[in-house]
Amino acid sequence: MVSSTEYGSHTWDLLLTVDHQHEGVEKEIPLQVTGDLHVGGLMLKLVEKIKIAQDWSDYAFWWEQKKCWLLKTHWTLDKCGVQADAKLVFTTQHKMLRLRLPNMKTVRLKVSFSSMVFRAVSDICKMLNIRRSEELSLLKQSEGTLKKKKKKDKNSKEPATEDILNLCNSPVSSGLPANPGLYSKTMTPIYDPVSGSPASSTITWFSDGSSAEQNCSILALSHPTCSPEMLAEMYQPRTLADKAKLNAGWLDSSRSLMEQGVLEEDQLLLRFKYYTFFDLNPKYDAVRINQIYEQARWAILLEEIDCTEEEMLIFAALQALMETFTNIICTQNVILISYHVSKLSLSSETQDSTCESEVDEVEAALSNLEVTLEGGNKSNILEDITDIPKLADNLKLVRPKKLALKAIKTYWFVFRDTSISYFKNKESAQGEPIEKLNLKGCEVVPDVNVAAKKFGIKLLIPVADGMNEVYLRCDNEDQYARWMAACVLASKGRTMADSSYQPEVQKILSFLQMKNWTMCSQAASEPENVDMKPECFVSPRYIKKFKSKQLTARILEAHQNVSQMSLVEAKLRFIQAWQSLPEFGLSYYIVRFKGSKKDDVLGVSYNRLIRIDMATGDPITTWRFSNMKQWNVNWEIRQVAIEFDQNVSIAFTCLSADCKIIHEYIGGYIFLSTRSKDHNETLDEELFHKLTGGQE
């Protein structure tokens, strides 16, 4: 027996596990502690007893039973709730993690397993030179999306060796702050705005010269085209329920990796979670633009988002163009690096004057390509306060036959403010309209086939009992662009007086021009002479529909209108075309609405929620975030409740994922809507967690 004076009346044994790599040294260390001992003092006693000379600054206690870190070193053991049966592991906070990027490239780097995921993603993005880290998050692949791949792997004779880019020596990987020069928007451009390759001065900001630039270049270049066999091995959603599986594994941004069961050397997906790409700038965002392009490309190839045959050929032509650029850049990589190194020997005065003129030319040439949250660029502020313009023209109105109205009829339409009114003819426009349609909060879906001269606009207007479908048919491209742009802005509650109206019109015309291709006679007659694998540029559905020669000829047709674009311009056009698809930006979840007896699909977008019929895929109701008064979560029954204007309330439980994911989506999009170019790039992390964290 040990006497109370020797042992201490309030002292008790605590068994600690130390995660170290030293052979011959015990990993389980017993200590005699008291409840008033603070966590920092426990660390000191443990290190003194281990007697191993090493840097322990990255170590902290992980409480296995409660799945939490003891990071507040000034708290006592009593305040933390630690008792004798607690299993505490003294382990490193930064551990190795494998991340699969949107371009399907896997990087291996050291990440903080004790920081909240939001902060960890911010550090990862600084490491990868990606601005606007708040748009990304980490995704754990669900079991449903891995089943097909596992079955394939069992039948494969040779295991595939994955090419992994090791970034474990990066400053942030080592727990050090990243060089601000790599992440600042106000510095000298770090990428060539045309080719997307690192600018010459970039080398001096990396700790390891050419190897660092090579890693950065890999992330800024497109991934080699994939084969149909590779596509067949990947998960391809067929239904809305399948698409819902893709979004089930988002990690909680308010908790750490370790708290969510992520272990060292696990693989996660780094993806753009929020589809609001703010302030895209080719001079600083080569990696970011390329990763957005790659995420869009794979979403189209794997049919995660639907597109028409005409749109698929445009996407294929842009991919073929970018593959050409990538091959050229890769073959000349050594020459480019040598050229960049040699330029460093130039005097700073000559370099500054040359860069200044080049940057001015680039800014002038690419100003119309800069993509912002609202998709437009700033113009004269006075445009927003002048009289609201209107559109007036003859359009064809197409209504579903179930309404017992004539299928197609021409009316005189007037677009004013955010509403469309139509009259029997132009002369009767001074009287009462036949009907007035308020487009605020509606869904605007393009229905275009340039080859067939079909320019339609599908409007899904929210009404009390669902959605009212209205189809407008335009006569030509110019008319379609003007009316489509007006409808898009009106759906967001903005008028044609908004400064983004004209850029929106030009963007639509530019996209239509890409679709309006003319066939090259030589390519049409001799497609076999062209070195192209068309199966690499289209989804499996179109591979089955066309023969290889037919696909090659049709892609070459579309290629005529994009062949003069630069690499960065082609990527931005690809992204813009992706953004124009009706299903762009929708993340799907299977939910059960309160009072309903069947499951529905909830689509979450950057500005609205859409209730979708799971069987037909038709939208039932749309709710805009701008009309939302409040939302909350009942954590006991895992139910999300949202209140909108005009006494509209909804409540639902999420069946395909945790309700916290949808709660975070809503709060995240509201947080991103507060961003402004006038503010510095420091994020209000506290506001993000207030909007997304919740109280469980």
Side-chain angles (χ1 to χ4, degrees), residues 589-603:
Y589 293 93
I590 300 175
V591 300
R592 174 73 63 88
F593 280 88
K594 186 177 181 180
S596 176
K597 296 182 179 180
K598 66 172 186 175
D599 299 340
D600 289 306
V601 173
L602 183 72

Side-chain angles (χ1 to χ4, degrees), residues 201-399:
S201 54
T202 305
I203 301 174
T204 61
W205 296 326
F206 282 98
S207 59
D208 188 21
S210 59
S211 63
E213 181 179 346
Q214 183 180 8
N215 291 342
C216 195
S217 298
I218 290 174
L219 301 181
L221 292 178
S222 302
H223 194 274
T225 53
C226 63
S227 63
E229 293 75 20
M230 181 180 176
L231 272 179
E233 293 180 1
M234 303 178 74
Y235 180 76
Q236 298 173 33
R238 302 298 182 190
T239 64
L240 286 175
D242 291 340
K243 292 180 180 179
K245 295 178 183 178
L246 298 172
N247 300 295
W250 289 110
L251 296 188
D252 188 339
S253 296
S254 302
R255 299 166 62 204
S256 69
L257 292 173
M258 204 90 155
E259 290 171 331
Q260 299 181 69
V262 179
L263 304 177
E264 188 170 11
E265 296 290 356
D266 277 359
Q267 178 167 292
L268 299 175
L269 307 181
L270 180 67
R271 293 290 185 269
F272 288 89
K273 178 179 181 179
Y274 301 101
Y275 296 90
T276 52
F277 310 125
F278 185 64
D279 188 27
L280 275 182
N281 195 319
K283 293 182 294 184
Y284 316 105
D285 290 327
V287 175
R288 182 176 169 219
I289 289 173
N290 184 62
Q291 297 301 323
I292 294 175
Y293 156 72
E294 288 287 349
Q295 185 162 327
R297 182 169 77 96
W298 284 104
I300 290 166
L301 291 179
L302 295 175
E303 299 181 7
E304 295 174 9
I305 184 170
D306 292 333
C307 63
T308 65
E309 180 181 316
E310 197 174 48
E311 290 163 343
M312 179 63 74
L313 293 173
I314 288 293
F315 289 127
L318 288 169
Q319 289 178 72
L321 176 65
M322 282 179 276
E323 184 187 35
T324 304
F325 277 113
T326 303
N327 292 337
I328 293 173
I329 292 174
C330 289
T331 55
Q332 296 180 349
N333 191 40
V334 176
I335 300 175
L336 285 172
I337 293 177
S338 301
Y339 172 69
H340 292 325
V341 173
S342 66
K343 283 193 71 176
L344 290 176
S345 62
L346 297 176
S347 64
S348 59
E349 294 181 2
T350 304
Q351 188 176 9
D352 290 343
S353 62
T354 304
C355 281
E356 186 176 352
S357 61
E358 289 179 352
V359 169
D360 290 340
E361 292 176 3
V362 168
E363 286 180 344
L366 295 176
S367 60
N368 63 324
L369 290 176
E370 186 173 345
V371 181
T372 63
L373 179 64
E374 301 298 341
N377 56 340
K378 292 184 179 180
S379 61
N380 193 346
I381 300 176
L382 292 176
E383 293 180 12
D384 291 331
I385 59 176
T386 55
D387 293 335
I388 298 175
K390 71 173 184 177
L391 290 175
D393 214 337
N394 282 314
L395 299 178
K396 293 182 177 64
L397 177 66
V398 184
R399 281 194 182 269

